[in-house]
């Protein structure tokens, strides 16, 4: 049962921001609604007004801009899954998007909506953390860039102001000697654990020049685990393989796992380690190939 | 910004080839408009959280969960429900295949299964069994009659050799 609300339909980001500022915390951006409307139907939240940003032109494009991909925040998961630009430059994002929720949710839900809602059991944020992505937030008075590792504040809470609209996700294209994987596990509709690993190898592809480890779903928010990265950085790929158990233990502990329907905290910590090791093994094979 | 009057939005759309001009409130869901106001009850409310696929409708040919989609999203769009699949009293080949291969038990999930199968076959006319299983994984059959459903989709346009 959805309680009545008012709909505002601005045609520019400025108008949207002004509407959001006018309503304050009694309004919310509507960018697909696959998460928001579920929470509203359950009566968990109510907003007097939804600001439909989907009539604003130009927020659903994907384009390559030098070494980065700029993804319009209103791109649906399905559009990203089928984007040739992404398939070419960032296949790991296409694979992740292909496995988000189900077909119908992917047809309607948008990447910007997914990130802003900050549902802990979600896939994109974790991968975007490992890719060093940033998001662009705009409001009537200007715009700012927010690095992904400052974006998630807590469960259902992102670092976006009341009158800001997330407009773009900017993802640096991984280098020639880099490989990235996102691995998840779950038996419910939403993922129970998600792990992203981004290994930047040296030119000879023998050692880990730099690395990103991100964990999601198991705790209140997706996060980068720099302590786990430190264990792997600078090691040869062989040494890194031997250090995966330690890195996985650190990542599991750092992720702030909670016990819930998806499993106990201890179980989730173990799964994080397993997924991280599998991601590394796949990356190693890719770098060797 | 309190507003005591209830807002209505014009909804001009096509359902199964028939054009409608109605008014909806922003919170009205597409499933309710289709079932209660247009009387088309093929799409079912089941899980109500976009997981099961029983409320699947095609919006401009794309599958959506109408249980969680505001009706205003259908503005200027073509909606296809299971009632619109048959043409001139003749069942659609996918419907024929579900009968031929026994692709249902209780039938509750069938409208959503058939509409999703249509988008699959529109995208990929010759899917492998793996393609079918992967594509259909968001439509749940609580009778667990999946084997026959997959056989039905694989069998569209082909007679069932095992049928007596």
């Amino acid at each position: 049962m959805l309680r009545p609300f008012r709909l505002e339909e601005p045609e520019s980001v400025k108008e949207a921001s002004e509407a959001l500022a006018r309503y304050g915390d009694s309004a919310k951006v509507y960018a697909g609604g696959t998460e928001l409307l579920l929470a509203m139907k359950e009566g968990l939240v109510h907003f007097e007004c939804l600001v439909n940003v989907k009539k604003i032109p130009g927020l659903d494009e994907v384009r390559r801009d030098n070494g980065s991909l700029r993804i319009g925040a209103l791109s649906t998961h399905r559009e990203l899954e089928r984007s040739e630009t992404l398939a070419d430059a960032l296949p790991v994002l296409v694979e992740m998007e292909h496995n988000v929720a189900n077909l119908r949710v992917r047809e309607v839900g948008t990447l910007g909506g997914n990130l802003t809602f900050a549902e802990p059991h979600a896939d994109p944020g974790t991968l975007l953390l490992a890719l060093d992505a940033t998001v662009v937030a705009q409001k009537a008075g200007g715009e700012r860039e927010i690095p992904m590792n400052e974006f998630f504040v807590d469960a259902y809470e992102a670092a976006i102001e009341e009158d800001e609209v997330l407009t773009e996700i900017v993802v640096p294209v991984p280098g020639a000697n880099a490989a990235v994987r996102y691995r998840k596990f779950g038996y419910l509709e939403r993922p129970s654990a998600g792990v992203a690993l981004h290994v930047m190898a040296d030119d000879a592809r023998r050692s880990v020049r730099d690395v990103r480890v991100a964990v999601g779903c198991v705790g209140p928010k997706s996060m980068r685990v720099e302590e786990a990265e430190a264990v792997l950085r600078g090691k040869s790929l062989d040494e890194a393989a031997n250090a995966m158990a330690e890195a996985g233990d650190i990542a599991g502990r750092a992720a702030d796992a909670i016990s819930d329907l998806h499993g106990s905290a201890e179980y989730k910590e173990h799964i994080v380690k397993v997924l991280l090791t599998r991601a590394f093994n796949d990356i190693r094979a890719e770098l060797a190939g | 910004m309190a507003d005591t009057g209830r807002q209505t939005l014009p909804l001009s759309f096509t359902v199964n080839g028939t054009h409608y001009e109605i008014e909806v409130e922003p919170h009205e869901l597409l499933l309710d408009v289709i079932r209660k106001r247009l009387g088309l009850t093929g799409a079912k409310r089941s899980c109500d959280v976009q997981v099961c696929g029983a409320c699947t409708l095609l919006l401009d040919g794309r599958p959506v969960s109408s249980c969680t989609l505001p009706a205003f999203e259908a503005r200027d769009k073509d909606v296809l429900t299971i009632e619109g699949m048959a043409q001139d009293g003749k069942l659609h080949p996918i419907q024929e295949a579900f009968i031929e291969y026994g692709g249902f038990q209780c039938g509750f999930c069938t409208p959503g299964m058939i509409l999703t199968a249509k988008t699959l076959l529109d995208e990929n006319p010759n899917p492998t069994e793996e393609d079918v299983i992967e594509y259909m994984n968001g439509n749940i059959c609580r009778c667990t009659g999946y084997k026959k459903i997959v056989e039905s989709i694989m069998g569209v346009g082909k007679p069932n050799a095992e049928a007596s």
Side-chain angles (χ1 to χ4, degrees), chain B residues 40-114:
Chain B
L40 298 168
T41 56
K44 311 296 186 211
R45 170 168 276 119
S46 185
C47 75
D48 214 17
V49 289
Q50 309 169 105
V51 167
C52 76
C55 69
T56 302
L57 296 175
L58 304 191
L59 203 61
D60 279 353
R62 306 308 318 157
V64 295
S65 289
S66 63
C67 72
T68 311
L69 195 74
F72 67 73
E73 289 283 12
R75 287 176 296 192
D76 303 320
K77 295 205 163 140
D78 281 319
V79 176
L80 181 67
T81 77
I82 191 67
E83 289 90 344
M85 286 288 279
Q87 293 292 317
D88 304 321
K90 201 172 172 313
L91 291 178
H92 188 280
I94 301 173
Q95 292 173 303
E96 293 283 8
F98 269 68
I99 295 170
E100 178 91 1
Y101 289 84
F104 35 86
Q105 291 185 43
C106 82
F108 202 80
C109 70
T110 310
M113 289 287 179
I114 288 178

Side-chain angles (χ1 to χ4, degrees), chain A residues 1-9 22-23 30 32-35 37-38 41-42 48 52 54-55 78 82 98-99 101-108 189, chain B residues 1-3 5-7 9 25-27 29 48-53 56 62-65 67-70 72-73 75 116 119 123 134-135 137-139:
Chain A
M1 173 73 194
L2 200 50
R3 284 169 57 195
F5 56 82
R6 210 183 150 72
L7 189 72
E8 293 279 345
E9 303 203 277
R22 237 177 11 251
Y23 282 92
Y30 168 86
T34 56
E35 307 262 24
L37 293 182
L38 286 185
K41 276 166 65 172
E42 283 293 320
E48 186 189 327
N52 178 14
K54 291 167 69 182
K55 287 202 159 177
R78 184 78 168 142
R82 304 178 85 180
H98 177 69
N99 291 310
N102 62 48
L103 181 62
R104 299 176 306 280
V105 170
R106 294 199 298 276
E107 287 283 358
V108 176
E189 181 66 10
Chain B
M1 293 315 258
D3 194 283
R6 295 266 281 260
Q7 182 187 16
L9 304 163
E25 292 188 38
H27 71 287
L29 296 163
D48 214 17
V49 289
Q50 309 169 105
V51 167
C52 76
T56 302
R62 306 308 318 157
V64 295
S65 289
C67 72
T68 311
L69 195 74
F72 67 73
E73 289 283 12
R75 287 176 296 192
T116 307
T119 66
E123 280 175 34
E134 203 278 327
Y135 197 93
N137 71 8
N139 285 74

Side-chain angles (χ1 to χ4, degrees), chain A residues 3-33:
Chain A
R3 284 169 57 195
F5 56 82
R6 210 183 150 72
L7 189 72
E8 293 279 345
E9 303 203 277
E11 293 187 0
S12 69
V13 173
K14 183 170 174 286
E15 279 177 35
S17 173
E18 285 164 357
L20 289 164
R22 237 177 11 251
Y23 282 92
D25 61 8
S26 61
K28 194 82 176 166
V29 170
Y30 168 86

